[in-house]
Amino acid sequence: MSGLSCARLVGGSSLYDREKDDFYATPPESVRAFLDAYHIQGESFYDPCCGQGHICKVLEEYFPTAIHYASDLVYRGYGIGGVDFLKTDILNGSKVDWVISNPPYKYALEFVKRSLEITKVGVAMFLKIQFLEGVNRRAFFQRSPLKYVYVFSKRQNPLKHGLPYNPKTGKKWSSTMCFAWFVWEHKYEGEPVVRWL
């Protein structure tokens, strides 16, 4: 295969094991690019996969007077740890305006569905563009209020272990995958719109 492994062809790397619990933190600049393009209105936000707070800290910067909730299955120094979002309701039956998160990809559809149940305005998820694929997701998309897909023109490089640099090389992480922000708004009824960041 000309020295190119299957892992690299699908966007991974044969040099590193898959990160436990899919902890690939969202670069803060990826969050800022989205918030600068899509002008969210909201007074309460929840990131159920907060990790070390990479998304939450930017939200707090942009919305300093809002109420912010943060949890994760694994405690990594930020938010409430030990929370399985798909099984546990830290909001005690109430709703927030927005869920904005980078969920573990293999459970992304479940996270989106659950997020739609607990939000009043909408949901924004940082996901691989290939989230658009799949028979089950197609059926979901056709009945969900997906309004925008903000595709990054430049490669975004999620932070393995939450670290900005690869400790083995001292260089920034690199990725062959294309990422996008998927945005659902509860009152939206039209076709999804693709925009570029």
Side-chain angles (χ1 to χ4, degrees):
M1 260 188 146
S2 303
L4 187 64
S5 71
C6 293
R8 288 181 184 270
L9 281 175
V10 297
S13 171
S14 59
L15 302 177
Y16 301 96
D17 293 330
R18 184 87 189 149
E19 178 65 11
K20 187 178 187 316
D21 299 313
D22 258 3
F23 180 45
Y24 294 90
T26 312
E29 58 269 23
S30 302
V31 184
R32 291 191 180 95
F34 169 63
L35 293 177
D36 289 343
Y38 177 74
H39 302 291
I40 285 179
Q41 299 294 318
E43 298 179 354
S44 56
F45 299 87
Y46 179 20
D47 181 356
C49 306
C50 68
Q52 296 169 344
H54 289 79
I55 291 176
C56 297
K57 291 173 184 176
V58 177
L59 289 173
E60 290 168 0
E61 173 189 322
Y62 276 67
F63 303 95
T65 63
I67 299 170
H68 297 273
Y69 300 91
S71 66
D72 205 315
L73 185 64
V74 177
Y75 181 68
R76 294 187 171 91
Y78 191 94
I80 304 170
V83 176
D84 184 337
F85 176 63
L86 301 178
K87 298 177 181 177
T88 306
D89 178 14
I90 70 163
L91 302 175
N92 296 316
S94 63
K95 293 187 176 185
V96 291
D97 289 334
W98 285 91
V99 166
I100 300 179
S101 193
N102 173 1
Y105 188 74
K106 63 183 175 181
Y107 299 118
L109 182 58
E110 291 85 350
F111 269 74
V112 173
K113 289 179 178 178
R114 176 67 182 136
S115 296
L116 286 168
E117 293 174 356
I118 65 166
T119 49
K120 294 180 281 188
V121 181
V123 173
M125 295 286 184
F126 181 79
L127 299 165
K128 292 183 279 189
I129 194 69
Q130 69 195 64
F131 186 69
L132 289 169
E133 297 177 330
V135 175
N136 290 336
R137 288 195 287 267
R138 177 186 176 184
F140 167 72
F141 285 138
Q142 289 176 325
R143 63 178 187 273
S144 78
L146 178 65
K147 185 174 183 179
Y148 294 115
V149 179
Y150 280 89
V151 183
F152 282 96
S153 302
K154 294 182 179 179
R155 291 282 188 236
Q156 302 302 293
N157 301 310
L159 313 177
K160 189 172 183 179
H161 308 292
L163 300 173
Y165 297 96
N166 182 333
K168 293 185 179 180
T169 66
K171 298 179 180 179
K172 287 187 175 182
W173 297 103
S174 61
S175 172
T176 59
M177 293 179 283
C178 178
F179 287 88
W181 281 99
F182 290 71
V183 183
W184 289 262
E185 288 186 10
H186 284 290
K187 295 181 180 179
Y188 185 67
E189 296 181 349
E191 292 288 326
V193 177
V194 178
R195 292 185 173 175
W196 285 266
L197 297 171

